[in-house]
Amino acid sequence: MTWKARMSEAISNTSPLLYLYRIGALDWLAQLFEDVWIPQAVVAELETGQRRGHAVPTPALYSWLHVVDPSATPSEWLSLDLGPGELAAMALALENRNRDLLLDDTLARRTAQAAGLTVWGTLRVILEAKDRGLTDSVAPLLDRLSQSGMWISVAIRQGILALAGEQDRGSDMNQDNGMP
């Protein structure tokens, strides 16, 4: 891999926590980051998921997750089609620019990057985990993420596998109607 990750601090939105939990890799965040903050809005989204019977983590069970709320949200972000967890995580990152922001939603990522924030997605977490020896292979994790509800296009899958130094073993995950 070409990037060298540093032990840094992070702020997470709901989706990276959810997807990493569903593939049994949530604890990797504690190994990749010194400290991880989540806003109360993310806790509320996870609690809603639990009440609806979804497989989601319980933040209180992870001593390395800390609930911290932003003091304000930029008013121009309020008109965007983003959830409360995304908005709160982005606002908290804006107030704490030294922290990496974990987001998967495309609009949220673009907005955060336009604000000059450092953004990681779930797939970057997996690549960093491989780079640090937390996993031997990315391909099965991509399959499990797809099975857990994360949409990963064929092109993205191939790109992630190339970054990981792996070849696609012909998984049928996310194939677009059998088209190449």
PDB file of all heavy atoms in Angstrom, residues 154 158 175-180:
ATOM      1  N   VAL A 154     -18.638  -3.198  -8.906  1.00  0.00           N
ATOM      2  CA  VAL A 154     -17.564  -4.052  -9.408  1.00  0.00           C
ATOM      3  C   VAL A 154     -16.280  -3.233  -9.542  1.00  0.00           C
ATOM      4  O   VAL A 154     -15.199  -3.677  -9.147  1.00  0.00           O
ATOM      5  CB  VAL A 154     -17.964  -4.702 -10.760  1.00  0.00           C
ATOM      6  CG1 VAL A 154     -16.782  -5.442 -11.376  1.00  0.00           C
ATOM      7  CG2 VAL A 154     -19.140  -5.643 -10.571  1.00  0.00           C
ATOM      8  N   GLN A 158     -12.828  -3.937  -7.520  1.00  0.00           N
ATOM      9  CA  GLN A 158     -11.561  -4.198  -8.202  1.00  0.00           C
ATOM     10  C   GLN A 158     -10.498  -3.200  -7.779  1.00  0.00           C
ATOM     11  O   GLN A 158      -9.335  -3.564  -7.586  1.00  0.00           O
ATOM     12  CB  GLN A 158     -11.771  -4.184  -9.715  1.00  0.00           C
ATOM     13  CG  GLN A 158     -12.574  -5.374 -10.195  1.00  0.00           C
ATOM     14  CD  GLN A 158     -12.993  -5.275 -11.651  1.00  0.00           C
ATOM     15  OE1 GLN A 158     -12.947  -4.207 -12.264  1.00  0.00           O
ATOM     16  NE2 GLN A 158     -13.418  -6.406 -12.212  1.00  0.00           N
ATOM     17  N   GLN A 175     -22.357  -8.175  -8.828  1.00  0.00           N
ATOM     18  CA  GLN A 175     -22.251  -8.225 -10.266  1.00  0.00           C
ATOM     19  C   GLN A 175     -23.481  -7.563 -10.864  1.00  0.00           C
ATOM     20  O   GLN A 175     -24.602  -7.778 -10.422  1.00  0.00           O
ATOM     21  CB  GLN A 175     -22.137  -9.680 -10.762  1.00  0.00           C
ATOM     22  CG  GLN A 175     -20.892 -10.383 -10.266  1.00  0.00           C
ATOM     23  CD  GLN A 175     -19.623  -9.733 -10.762  1.00  0.00           C
ATOM     24  OE1 GLN A 175     -19.540  -9.359 -11.925  1.00  0.00           O
ATOM     25  NE2 GLN A 175     -18.648  -9.588  -9.902  1.00  0.00           N
ATOM     26  N   ASP A 176     -23.280  -6.753 -11.846  1.00  0.00           N
ATOM     27  CA  ASP A 176     -24.379  -6.015 -12.451  1.00  0.00           C
ATOM     28  C   ASP A 176     -25.038  -6.840 -13.545  1.00  0.00           C
ATOM     29  O   ASP A 176     -24.648  -6.768 -14.696  1.00  0.00           O
ATOM     30  CB  ASP A 176     -23.866  -4.685 -13.039  1.00  0.00           C
ATOM     31  CG  ASP A 176     -23.242  -3.802 -11.975  1.00  0.00           C
ATOM     32  OD1 ASP A 176     -23.706  -3.851 -10.814  1.00  0.00           O
ATOM     33  OD2 ASP A 176     -22.310  -3.075 -12.323  1.00  0.00           O
ATOM     34  N   ASN A 177     -26.016  -7.637 -13.173  1.00  0.00           N
ATOM     35  CA  ASN A 177     -26.794  -8.445 -14.120  1.00  0.00           C
ATOM     36  C   ASN A 177     -25.920  -9.284 -15.023  1.00  0.00           C
ATOM     37  O   ASN A 177     -26.225  -9.473 -16.195  1.00  0.00           O
ATOM     38  CB  ASN A 177     -27.692  -7.538 -14.978  1.00  0.00           C
ATOM     39  CG  ASN A 177     -28.656  -6.764 -14.121  1.00  0.00           C
ATOM     40  OD1 ASN A 177     -29.158  -7.274 -13.132  1.00  0.00           O
ATOM     41  ND2 ASN A 177     -28.905  -5.527 -14.501  1.00  0.00           N
ATOM     42  N   GLY A 178     -24.815  -9.780 -14.514  1.00  0.00           N
ATOM     43  CA  GLY A 178     -23.941 -10.640 -15.298  1.00  0.00           C
ATOM     44  C   GLY A 178     -23.111  -9.910 -16.328  1.00  0.00           C
ATOM     45  O   GLY A 178     -22.390 -10.530 -17.067  1.00  0.00           O
ATOM     46  N   MET A 179     -23.221  -8.611 -16.380  1.00  0.00           N
ATOM     47  CA  MET A 179     -22.460  -7.840 -17.357  1.00  0.00           C
ATOM     48  C   MET A 179     -21.028  -7.685 -16.873  1.00  0.00           C
ATOM     49  O   MET A 179     -20.795  -7.575 -15.695  1.00  0.00           O
ATOM     50  CB  MET A 179     -23.078  -6.457 -17.564  1.00  0.00           C
ATOM     51  CG  MET A 179     -24.526  -6.501 -18.055  1.00  0.00           C
ATOM     52  SD  MET A 179     -24.702  -7.267 -19.661  1.00  0.00           S
ATOM     53  CE  MET A 179     -24.002  -5.994 -20.673  1.00  0.00           C
ATOM     54  N   PRO A 180     -20.059  -7.638 -17.785  1.00  0.00           N
ATOM     55  CA  PRO A 180     -18.661  -7.466 -17.381  1.00  0.00           C
ATOM     56  C   PRO A 180     -18.404  -6.089 -16.781  1.00  0.00           C
ATOM     57  O   PRO A 180     -19.066  -5.164 -16.971  1.00  0.00           O
ATOM     58  CB  PRO A 180     -17.875  -7.644 -18.665  1.00  0.00           C
ATOM     59  CG  PRO A 180     -18.846  -7.708 -19.769  1.00  0.00           C
ATOM     60  CD  PRO A 180     -20.205  -7.821 -19.188  1.00  0.00           C
TER      61      PRO A 180
END
